[in-house]
Structures are given as C-alpha cells and as structure tokens.
Amino acid sequence: MKNPTTGNTGLVFAFVLSIAMCVVSFILGGSAGHLSSSGICFPSPDEWSLPTNLSFGLNLVIISGVVVGILILNKTYNFITTTDTVLQSSLLILICSNVFIDKRVNSSVLLGAVVVIIYFILFGCYRNKKSAPQLFIIGTLVSIAGLFQYAAIPYLLAVFFAVVVLKCMSFKGMVALGMGALTPYWILAGLGVIDLRELSMPVLSTVFTYNFIEEGYFLLWLNCGITALLFLFCSLYNAVSMYAGNTRRRLMNNSTLIFGLVSCLSIMFDIGNMVAYMTVLYLAWAVQLANLFALHNLKHGRAMIVSLLVLYVAAMVGMIYGI
C-alpha cells in the first residue's frame, strides 16, 4: 500500500491554512470586489445586501458543504480509489486561495454546491434509462441557479454529455431535462414575478479581447489559467490509466471531466464573469489531482503538493494587493 501523500496531518494543515486564508482575505482583501454578473432575472448572490459577518460565516459553511459533499460522493461511489486526503485538502486550498470567492457569499461557491448535488443525482442514474424524474430535478436546479447567475446555464450542456457518458440517456429523460429547465420560468411568468420580454441577457467578452493588466486582475487570471492548464494536463495524463480500469469508475470521472471542460470553455468566452465558473473548475481539478496520486506512484508527490500550495498562496497574496 502506498504511503499517503497528505494523510490526516495534511488535511488538518489544509483546514487550518484555509481558515487562515479566508480570515486574511476577509480582513485585508477589501480591494477585491465582486466580478460575477447578475442572473437572467434576479441579482447575483454577490450583490445581496447581507451583513458582512453573516455573509462571511455563510460562505464558510457553503465552502465546507462543497468539500464534505465531494468527500461523501467519493465515499458513496468510490470513483477515486484512494484513502488519502488529497481530494479534500486540495479543494480547500484551491477555493480559499481565491479572494474573490472566499470572503462572502457569492455565485461561484453556490454554483459549486449545486454541481455537487447534480453529481449525486447523475451518479445515481448510472445505466438507468428510467431516470426522467431525476433529470427533471437537475434541469430545474440548473434553471433556478440561472435565475440568479447566468453562468449556470452552460452546465445544462455538461449534464447532457454526462447523461450520455453515464449511459442513462433516453428520449423521456431528455424531454424531462428540458421541461425542468423551463419550468421555473413558466411558474414565475405565470405568477407575474417576471416578464419574459425583459429577461437580462449577458454581454460576453472573450479571453482574446480582455485586457487583464489594465483591469487589475492579472493574478486572478493567472490563477484561473494555471488551474485550467493543470486540470487539462492531469486529465490527459490520467486518461490511459483510467481507461484500463473499472468502467463505472472511469465514466463517473469522465462526467466530472466534462463539467471541468465546460467551465474552461465558458471562461474563454465569458472571461469577464470567470469567477462564477471557478469553483466548478476547482472541483474538476481537485478530482483529477486526487486521481493523479491514486493512479500513479509519484516519487516527488509531496514536493508537488508543496509547490502547488506555495503557488496558490502567492497568487492569493497578490490578489489581496490588487495585482
């Protein structure tokens, strides 16, 4: 049996460091405003007028829920074959090293929580062609999230491909997914809460036209870019070993991979709203990182973890000072 790369000691260290980073960000990160855009109908969670301390506390609870949720998901479906704590340790550090999502309630962390719930439902549908009720629920969840943050909508595409990958696609299921996505709008329009003619459509800016240095978010972009590149590299590196393994495990991992790829593509074409997609990207990267250590016997695994830790903490310090 391989020696653990992080183990319980590493998890405790990651937890303590994550709390410290959140507190430092809360106290010193005043220059980091919110970047996420509004929803199709309602203001984004980043714009909610919550008391500062309450918002900070709620955000810590949501972050904890995301980390505990992905841990329970793995305990339930065993899609990462390891008893090590790389998954939860890395996810804590990744989320809490971003000052735009670690100090108050925001769209990104809430969207991450929604995606974890979707994973539970999707994995439960594995090879089940009679999964229309579950897909209706997923469509409704994504649609409700989109009311408050339009960045949720691209994940309907991720759900579609994940359903294909998990072999639970059926005509009724696809209709149910579409009906679920439309139902919240029908209900709210029928009650007179929203006017379908006045829905807020997003204004997109691509990665090719955005000036990160002038906007003052260079290290945020660098954090996002490095995360995306490492996620893609790990995914490719893990692919061969994953293909030779258990089919169910491979397909579940491929499902999380799809959500990560959709996040990367969405960031490329909606760079001004990139923060909203980043928790889901962090989730996908943490899964691939955990698989990297589970599938391969890395000689310098701990050095790699320490290097990543230093990289993300340094980026966080730079974000606090507006670099």
Side-chain angles (χ1 to χ4, degrees), residues 87-100:
L87 175 63
Q88 53 269 45
S89 300
S90 59
L91 186 56
L92 275 171
I93 296 297
L94 289 170
I95 294 176
C96 295
S97 68
N98 190 326
V99 300
F100 290 88

Side-chain angles (χ1 to χ4, degrees), residues 183-196:
T183 295
Y185 296 92
W186 283 342
I187 293 174
L188 291 174
L191 294 174
V193 176
I194 62 173
D195 186 343
L196 295 178

Side-chain angles (χ1 to χ4, degrees), residues 56-66:
F56 175 70
L58 283 175
N59 196 49
L60 285 181
V61 170
I62 299 167
I63 291 172
S64 301
V66 170

